[in-house]
Amino acid sequence: MKSVFAMLVLCAGISCCTVYTPPPTQTTTVRVTEPQVAAAVTGESRAEALPEDAVTGAREDTVPAGTAAFDSEQPIQIARLESKIRELEKSHRMFFTYYMWLTATILTGAFILILLNARESRRKDRIIYNSEQFLQHSMQVQEAERKRISLDLHDSIAQGLRYVSLLAENLQDRDAAQKIIAVQNENIESIRRLCYNLTPPAITESNLIPSLILLGQKIFDTGSSDFQFRVASEPAVSFEHWDENALMNLYRIVQEALQNIQKHAQAGEATVFFKGGPANGSKSGRPAFLKVIITDDGCGMDAGLVARLNDATFEHVENLHFGLRNIFERAKLLDGKVTYFSEEGCGTRLTVEI
């Protein structure tokens, strides 16, 4: 309505600003005779001196000719103005109706989009939740399978190798017997290391770092080689509020990284460094941040391989995809991010931010 009123005021202002210019006044010249002049001089009224038809004609002729035209055109102009106002009101009603329909359509579409977005968000949340639950379950199944394989190796194959060593002691050829016993002892030690890797001792907040030190010593065989292996931690780092599953996932991440270094890096030293801050007051009680930085001085990796690792695409990473996938999946369970940095001939740095 305000817009209608504004239009009316505008039209009225335009009409008021239009100045009407009447046509020029038309007059009639009347010839006066000498007797009439004399009568006027003697004091006779002009009406008596002049002929009746002349007076009437003079009165009629002295009226402006445009006055009657103006009086006849004024109603027409008013009618035209009212017609224009009605047309403007009709146009405004049509525009207002169109605007209301457009607004209603936009609001309805926005409401539908909000509902669809909320529905899609809930669906994605369910998928993520289900995927995390599935991943957690798969890791638990994996740990159970590791324990089963470790027990089978220890109770069957290792015991069989010991029995073969006992039988070799009864051989008459002592040199052959000693060789068989030495090989069997090496096999038994390898199986023990494999069993330890499959099922380490129970990991707690107090023995995580000592367990990692022992793990590195077994993987790199530091007792019989010059390989340098170190595990360090900042004083602020604490695993007091970490549960058993989280500690096991962290242990497995470091284990997979160290095994990759031992198999592929051709390195002479490796370091595991824990960097973190105080507890963030969350329900988990974990540090505000935790970084696990694993470095080596090995041969490094090319830029293409590093890019694929950081994008978590393992299909074209030969001989590494299973262990690396395990690292990324366990880091995901900890709400962590895995980043590789490496150059050929300059070693590799693996950072896990949790």
Side-chain angles (χ1 to χ4, degrees):
M1 294 303 295
K2 290 182 179 180
S3 58
V4 174
F5 180 74
M7 290 181 181
L8 292 175
V9 172
L10 179 61
C11 293
I14 294 173
S15 300
C16 293
C17 292
T18 303
V19 180
Y20 174 75
T21 304
T25 304
Q26 298 180 359
T27 57
T28 304
T29 305
V30 179
R31 295 181 178 275
V32 182
T33 60
E34 292 180 358
Q36 293 172 343
V37 173
V41 172
T42 59
E44 294 180 358
S45 64
R46 184 177 182 182
E48 295 177 354
L50 293 176
E52 184 177 357
D53 56 350
V55 174
T56 304
R59 290 176 181 174
E60 294 177 354
D61 293 339
T62 55
V63 178
T67 303
F70 175 77
D71 293 338
S72 61
E73 290 180 359
Q74 187 175 9
I76 298 176
Q77 293 180 352
I78 294 174
R80 290 177 179 175
L81 181 60
E82 291 177 351
S83 176
K84 290 181 179 179
I85 292 174
R86 286 193 297 270
E87 291 179 358
L88 289 174
E89 290 179 347
K90 182 178 179 181
S91 299
H92 175 74
R93 284 194 297 270
M94 293 178 60
F95 174 76
F96 182 75
T97 303
Y98 172 77
Y99 175 77
M100 291 301 296
W101 276 106
L102 180 62
T103 303
T105 304
I106 292 174
L107 291 177
T108 304
F111 181 72
I112 293 174
L113 288 177
I114 292 173
L115 290 179
L116 293 176
N117 188 34
R119 182 178 179 182
E120 184 68 15
S121 298
R122 289 194 297 269
R123 188 183 69 85
K124 288 182 179 180
D125 291 340
R126 286 195 298 269
I127 292 175
I128 293 173
Y129 176 78
N130 292 334
S131 64
E132 291 180 354
Q133 291 293 104
F134 176 77
L135 187 57
Q136 182 68 39
H137 177 70
S138 65
M139 292 301 172
Q140 293 174 355
V141 172
Q142 187 179 118
E143 291 297 331
E145 188 67 13
R146 286 172 181 264
K147 291 180 181 180
R148 186 189 66 80
I149 295 174
S150 177
L151 290 175
D152 290 343
L153 288 174
H154 182 271
D155 295 338
S156 60
I157 298 178
Q159 297 299 328
L161 292 175
R162 289 193 185 95
Y163 182 70
V164 172
S165 297
L166 292 175
L167 293 178
E169 293 179 354
N170 297 324
L171 293 177
Q172 295 181 355
D173 189 346
R174 302 308 302 172
D175 292 336
Q178 292 299 325
K179 291 180 180 179
I180 293 174
I181 293 172
V183 172
Q184 293 297 84
N185 290 337
E186 291 179 359
N187 292 333
I188 292 172
E189 186 62 27
S190 297
I191 291 176
R192 285 178 177 175
R193 286 196 299 269
L194 182 58
C195 291
Y196 182 85
N197 292 335
L198 290 173
T199 56
I203 304 300
T204 63
E205 67 276 4
S206 59
N207 71 352
L208 174 62
I209 292 180
S211 297
L212 291 176
I213 294 174
L214 181 60
L215 173 67
Q217 291 174 351
K218 289 182 175 294
I219 290 177
F220 299 113
D221 194 13
T222 56
S224 59
S225 65
D226 295 332
F227 193 92
Q228 300 294 321
F229 176 69
R230 294 178 293 273
V231 179
S233 174
E234 288 186 344
V237 175
S238 174
F239 304 100
E240 181 179 358
H241 300 283
W242 289 58
D243 58 31
E244 181 180 355
N245 290 330
L247 291 172
M248 179 57 68
N249 287 327
L250 192 58
Y251 178 89
R252 293 299 188 188
I253 289 173
V254 177
Q255 179 183 14
E256 293 291 349
L258 296 181
Q259 288 177 345
N260 287 336
I261 293 174
Q262 191 271 334
K263 293 178 182 178
H264 308 285
Q266 303 175 5
E269 65 177 42
T271 302
V272 179
F273 180 65
F274 291 92
K275 180 179 181 181
N280 57 5
S282 62
K283 293 182 179 179
S284 64
R286 293 182 183 178
F289 70 92
L290 176 66
K291 286 185 179 181
V292 185
I293 304 173
I294 305 171
T295 60
D296 67 76
D297 64 345
C299 60
M301 297 182 290
D302 62 88
L305 178 58
V306 173
R308 289 195 296 272
L309 293 179
N310 289 331
D311 291 338
T313 55
F314 312 109
E315 288 75 7
H316 304 291
V317 183
E318 298 179 358
N319 302 324
L320 289 175
H321 65 281
F322 181 77
L324 291 172
R325 189 186 299 274
N326 198 8
I327 291 176
F328 279 83
E329 289 177 350
R330 291 184 182 274
K332 183 179 179 180
L333 289 175
L334 298 174
D335 295 328
K337 178 183 178 182
V338 179
T339 305
Y340 276 88
F341 178 80
S342 180
E343 294 182 3
E344 292 189 55
C346 298
T348 302
R349 181 177 73 242
L350 166 63
T351 303
V352 182
E353 301 180 41
I354 301 172

